């Protein structure tokens, strides 16, 4: 309903401004402060003051007088407050919101008939997923989720680096060393933890072995890389044996978040199908192409980039960026838009990639790159190359264990005996613990560095995942006590609901907040900023808790008609918070 109201306000403002002879290119629409009783405001009078030759409050008054609010369906009145125009919601707006939000699909927008591929995570398959990189799958998955809610046809891709030197080293080490040559077996029984020992052994050997032994190893590693470049099936199968096993384990870890993918696109695809080779020919034809320092490069200084982009070695082998350029052109052919989530250390490469794609004649308006800073623990930054870092599995294990402790501490014996058994406690611990990790990470702007802190992430009273999840559980509890299935909401209730009975400030504030949810989805999708949804959930939780404190739903002295209206509001709240959490990838527990 908020989207409909905003469209109505835009039309009314444009008509009023046009009638007054003012330009209509910027309407100055914004969210009003909490202490203002309106759902939308406009600061357009500031912009027009000089042109009108009058003070902003006078201009606002002229515009308000020109708007015929009797012709508006969702706006009851247009008031001025100094230079601002405030648009107050009508009863019909609130009633329509309540009706829409009692549907479990609330917040999903109409089909835009536009396809988007979201590439994220894409960590090299060299070992377990590391905490520092956990922000990529969490942000990437949330971006894909919010785009899906916003009506886009979304595919989620993991771009697999199976052609670089790291994978050649891994393959050589896997084939060269035996179990007795590597460190002792890991505690966690999953394939990537087992195989990463060979990768570490290979790197240690190349750093410390005798020169002749290193030369022989390097020759074999070079042979693997050249075999991949030449499309040799044997080389591809050798590398794939390692890559597929490690990637399988990594995806098991990511599934715990949960994060899943529609397709794993291998880098070698663009070597084997000739796309990378054909792209090299086009790059060499560019005016920016030079052969320097035994390599083909693009000089990009005239495009604001000081560092050259190397795309072909002197021995005729391509580089990661060469294949990635072919990869992106493939995405442009297959999808209307391409979104890539990248770590901050890829900022230069991202600029080089975009500029080169433009030089090759591509429309880079199709490409959106989301850069993020890394996640640290309070102890400091972490590294995986030598196995000295913190793995994502370890973080998730600890999150579940800490959440279990929080849940048990909050349970009294009566609740344990009457409602929650050990299986329930385990389920809630997983939902709250992993939800705390995801929420804490996705709720921050991507460009801001994060230091993950347990006390904040698992605080049931602060604005964290448990704080929001508890609202959903509370909604379910109220509905169940009223004999309503939380999954179907008010679908099974035959009594007509009168939204006009929701008269208290707390009821109206909650309903107006619910009405804004589709607009939050719309804006978060446009900006590729799922943290906007997290910010909304905190505000929503505050509004619901104020309603819960001040407006009893099932008390004996509540009028039956008011009771039904408040139950509908609870059902609408349940669907809203469940879908907002779904966008963030956070579970919505039925009980806590």
């Amino acid at each position: 309903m908020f989207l409909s109201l905003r469209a109505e306000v835009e039309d009314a403002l444009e008509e009023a401004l046009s009638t007054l002879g003012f330009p209509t290119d910027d309407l100055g629409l914004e969210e009003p402060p909490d202490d203002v009783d309106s759902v939308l405001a406009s600061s357009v009078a500031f912009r027009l003051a000089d042109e009108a030759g009058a003070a902003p409050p006078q201009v606002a008054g002229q515009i308000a007088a020109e708007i015929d609010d009797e012709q508006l369906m969702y706006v009851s009145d247009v008031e001025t407050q100094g230079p601002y125009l405030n648009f107050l919601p009508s009863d019909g707006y609130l009633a329509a919101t309540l009706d829409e939000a009692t549907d479990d699909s609330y917040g999903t927008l109409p089909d835009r008939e536009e396809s988007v591929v979201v590439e994220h995570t894409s960590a090299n398959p060299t070992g377990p997923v590391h905490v520092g990189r956990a922000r990529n799958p969490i942000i990437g998955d949330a971006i894909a989720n919010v785009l899906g809610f916003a009506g886009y046809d979304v595919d989620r891709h993991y771009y697999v680096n199976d052609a670089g030197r790291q994978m050649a080293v891994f393959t050589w080490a896997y084939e060269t060393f035996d179990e007795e040559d590597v460190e002792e077996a890991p505690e966690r029984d999953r394939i990537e933890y087992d195989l990463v020992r060979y990768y570490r052994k290979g790197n240690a050997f190349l750093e410390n072995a005798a020169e002749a032994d290193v030369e022989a190893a390097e020759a074999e590693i070079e042979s693997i890389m050249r075999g991949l470049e030449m499309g040799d099936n044997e080389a591809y199968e050798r590398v794939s044996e390692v890559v597929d096993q490690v990637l399988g384990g990594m995806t098991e870890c990511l599934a715990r978040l949960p994060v899943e993918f529609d397709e794993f696109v291998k880098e070698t695809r663009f070597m084997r199908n000739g796309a990378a080779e054909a792209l090299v020919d086009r790059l060499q034809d560019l005016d920016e192409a030079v052969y320097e320092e035994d390599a083909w490069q693009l000089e990009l200084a005239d495009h604001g980039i000081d560092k050259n982009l190397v795309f072909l070695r002197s021995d005729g082998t391509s580089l990661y960026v060469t294949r990635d350029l072919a990869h992106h052109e493939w995405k442009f052919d297959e999808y209307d838009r391409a979104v890539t989530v990248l770590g901050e250390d890829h900022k230069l490469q991202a600029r080089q990639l975009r500029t080169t794609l433009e030089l090759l004649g591509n429309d880079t308006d199709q490409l959106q790159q989301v850069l993020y800073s890394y996640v640290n623990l309070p102890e400091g930054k972490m590294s995986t190359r030598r196995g000295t870092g913190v793995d994502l599995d370890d973080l998730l294990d600890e999150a579940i264990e800490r959440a279990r402790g929080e849940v048990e501490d909050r349970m009294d014996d009566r609740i344990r005996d009457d409602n929650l058994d050990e299986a329930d406690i385990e389920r809630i611990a997983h939902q709250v613990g992993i939800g705390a990790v995801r929420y804490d990470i996705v709720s921050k702007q991507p460009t801001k560095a994060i230091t993950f802190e347990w006390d904040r992430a698992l605080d049931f009273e602060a604005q964290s995942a448990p704080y929001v999840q508890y609202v959903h559980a509370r909604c379910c509890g109220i509905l169940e006590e009223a004999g309503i299935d939380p999954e179907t909401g008010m679908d099974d209730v035959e009594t007509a609901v009168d939204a006009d009975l929701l008269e208290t400030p707390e009821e109206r504030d909650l309903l107006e907040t619910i009405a804004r949810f589709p607009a939050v989805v719309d804006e978060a999708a446009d900006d590729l900023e799922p943290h906007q949804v997290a910010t909304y959930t905190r505000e929503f939780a505050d509004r619901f808790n104020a309603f819960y404190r001040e407006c009893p739903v099932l008390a004996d002295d509540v009028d039956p008609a008011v009771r039904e209206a408040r139950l509908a509001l609870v059902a609408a709240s349940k669907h809203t918070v469940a879908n907002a959490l779904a966008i963030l990838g956070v579970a919505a527990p039925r009980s806590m």
Side-chain angles (χ1 to χ4, degrees):
M1 272 300 102
F2 183 83
L3 292 173
S4 298
L5 179 144
R6 187 170 67 185
E8 185 176 76
V9 168
E10 288 173 349
D11 290 343
L13 268 177
E14 287 179 357
E15 183 176 348
L17 293 176
S18 180
T19 300
L20 293 168
F22 294 137
T24 61
D25 53 317
D26 181 4
L27 301 179
L29 292 177
E30 58 188 61
E31 186 178 337
D34 289 342
D35 59 350
V36 175
D37 187 23
S38 70
V39 290
L40 197 61
S42 171
S43 60
V44 69
F46 278 113
R47 177 174 64 83
L48 300 175
D50 288 343
E51 184 172 346
Q58 291 177 292
V59 178
Q62 292 177 31
I63 298 170
E66 194 62 43
I67 296 175
D68 184 1
D69 52 48
E70 292 185 1
Q71 300 298 314
L72 302 179
M73 182 181 300
Y74 301 121
V75 174
S76 64
D77 195 10
V78 183
E79 296 180 348
T80 61
Q81 184 178 27
Y84 290 97
L85 290 151
N86 293 317
F87 297 87
L88 281 62
S90 68
D91 291 340
Y93 168 76
L94 297 178
T97 294
L98 187 63
D99 183 58
E100 281 190 4
T102 50
D103 189 290
D104 61 7
S105 65
Y106 183 63
T108 58
L109 304 183
D111 186 356
R112 300 181 190 237
E113 298 184 354
E114 184 173 338
S115 62
V116 184
V117 57
V118 179
E119 177 203 331
H120 67 83
T121 307
S122 301
N124 292 340
T126 54
V129 181
H130 176 244
V131 166
R133 301 278 177 173
R135 203 169 188 182
N136 196 314
I138 290 173
I139 292 176
D141 189 59
I143 287 174
N145 289 342
V146 76
L147 287 170
F149 263 80
Y152 295 96
D153 180 14
V154 180
D155 274 357
R156 304 149 192 262
H157 284 190
Y158 189 124
Y159 186 50
V160 183
N161 179 358
D162 64 336
R165 174 179 166 81
Q166 286 180 306
M167 297 319 305
V169 169
F170 203 159
T171 301
W172 161 77
Y174 176 71
E175 295 173 346
T176 300
F177 299 107
D178 296 321
E179 176 69 27
E180 58 267 22
D181 298 321
V182 298
E183 62 196 60
E184 63 183 49
E187 293 183 8
R188 195 178 297 275
D189 183 21
R190 211 168 60 215
I191 190 64
E192 77 272 31
Y193 287 90
D194 178 41
L195 294 187
V196 73
R197 299 178 298 155
Y198 294 87
Y199 180 61
R200 292 172 183 153
K201 175 65 178 179
N203 281 301
F205 181 91
L206 293 173
E207 290 179 4
N208 302 312
E211 184 176 349
D213 293 334
V214 171
E215 288 180 357
E218 290 288 1
E220 180 59 23
I221 292 166
E222 181 65 26
S223 173
I224 294 170
M225 293 177 65
R226 179 165 289 280
L228 291 175
E229 192 77 32
M230 302 301 294
D232 180 66
N233 283 332
E234 182 182 356
Y236 175 75
E237 290 171 3
R238 288 169 66 188
V239 172
S240 293
E241 183 178 356
V242 176
V243 168
D244 292 347
Q245 289 186 84
V246 175
L247 190 62
M250 294 171 71
T251 53
E252 283 188 47
C253 170
L254 294 169
R256 299 181 66 191
L257 279 170
V259 169
E260 296 180 348
F261 298 89
D262 296 301
E263 187 173 353
F264 292 86
V265 181
K266 287 188 174 181
E267 186 181 355
T268 49
R269 171 190 292 192
F270 306 100
M271 303 165 76
R272 293 163 65 82
N273 68 9
E277 183 179 1
L279 187 133
V280 165
D281 292 339
R282 292 164 57 206
L283 291 171
Q284 290 174 323
D285 288 339
L286 293 175
D287 293 340
E288 290 80 2
V290 295
Y291 187 82
E292 294 179 355
E293 300 178 0
D294 296 326
W296 278 96
Q297 310 178 39
L298 293 183
E299 289 184 338
L300 301 175
D302 290 345
H303 304 276
I305 301 173
D306 293 335
K307 187 172 182 179
N308 287 4
L309 182 141
V310 179
F311 62 87
L312 191 69
R313 301 183 184 92
S314 59
D315 61 3
T317 56
S318 59
L319 288 87
Y320 174 88
V321 68
T322 322
R323 279 94 68 177
D324 200 24
L325 286 164
H327 171 218
H328 274 75
E329 290 197 325
W330 170 78
K331 288 195 286 189
F332 292 165
D333 288 339
E334 297 291 322
Y335 297 91
D336 297 316
R337 288 169 56 197
V339 176
T340 310
V341 183
L342 300 163
E344 60 186 355
D345 56 337
H346 289 80
K347 185 179 294 185
L348 172 62
Q349 294 94 316
R351 291 181 62 207
Q352 290 176 321
L353 180 82
R354 179 183 289 276
T355 299
T356 304
L357 287 168
E358 290 174 354
L359 293 173
L360 289 168
N362 295 282
D363 177 9
T364 55
D365 287 344
Q366 288 179 264
L367 176 63
Q368 293 173 279
Q369 297 161 317
V370 178
L371 294 168
Y372 66 92
S373 295
Y374 294 119
V375 177
N376 300 311
L377 294 181
E379 299 89 274
K381 293 185 177 181
M382 300 157 282
S383 167
T384 54
R385 183 181 175 95
R386 291 177 173 80
T388 58
V390 178
D391 297 319
L392 178 58
D393 278 310
D394 295 331
L395 181 71
L396 297 181
D397 287 347
E398 186 166 355
I400 293 167
E401 190 59 34
R402 286 176 179 257
R404 183 184 293 108
E406 289 285 342
V407 172
E408 290 178 340
D409 287 347
R410 290 169 178 277
M411 291 172 54
D412 58 32
D413 291 338
R414 181 190 60 78
I415 294 176
R416 180 188 294 271
D417 291 342
D418 291 349
N419 294 314
L420 300 181
D421 58 21
E422 291 304 317
D424 291 323
I425 296 172
E426 187 66 19
R427 170 184 55 79
I428 295 169
H430 275 77
Q431 291 176 323
V432 172
I434 293 177
V437 171
R438 283 200 61 141
Y439 189 93
D440 194 66
I441 289 175
V442 79
S443 64
K444 310 297 191 305
Q445 290 187 24
T447 53
K448 292 185 177 179
I450 290 179
T451 298
F452 185 84
E453 297 176 1
W454 290 111
D455 291 344
R456 180 191 63 212
L458 286 168
D459 191 337
F460 278 64
E461 308 302 328
Q463 293 186 327
S464 59
Y467 178 72
V468 178
Q469 287 173 310
Y470 198 74
V471 168
H472 182 267
R474 178 163 277 165
C475 289
C476 291
I478 294 170
L479 294 171
E480 287 176 336
E481 189 176 347
I484 298 171
D485 183 351
E487 298 306 317
T488 59
M490 300 297 288
D491 291 348
D492 299 330
V493 177
E494 297 181 0
T495 306
V497 173
D498 185 356
D500 292 344
L501 297 174
L502 302 174
E503 299 176 329
T504 70
E506 292 79 15
E507 290 167 323
R508 293 180 67 87
D509 284 348
L510 178 57
L511 193 49
E512 289 174 10
T513 303
I514 290 171
R516 282 184 33 239
F517 179 50
V520 172
V521 172
D522 188 45
E523 186 171 352
D526 283 350
D527 297 339
L528 298 180
E529 292 183 345
H531 71 268
Q532 294 183 23
V533 179
T535 300
Y536 170 82
T537 62
R538 293 193 289 268
E539 178 187 343
F540 175 86
D542 288 342
R543 294 282 193 273
F544 181 86
N545 288 333
F547 159 76
Y548 181 79
R549 287 192 303 269
E550 301 299 328
C551 305
V553 179
L554 302 178
D556 292 339
D557 59 348
V558 175
D559 179 90
V562 173
R563 175 183 184 274
E564 294 305 313
R566 289 178 177 174
L567 279 172
L569 185 55
V570 171
S573 298
K574 185 264 180 191
H575 293 320
T576 302
V577 72
N579 290 338
L581 288 171
I583 289 171
L584 302 175
V586 175
R590 189 158 173 164
S591 58
M592 284 178 67

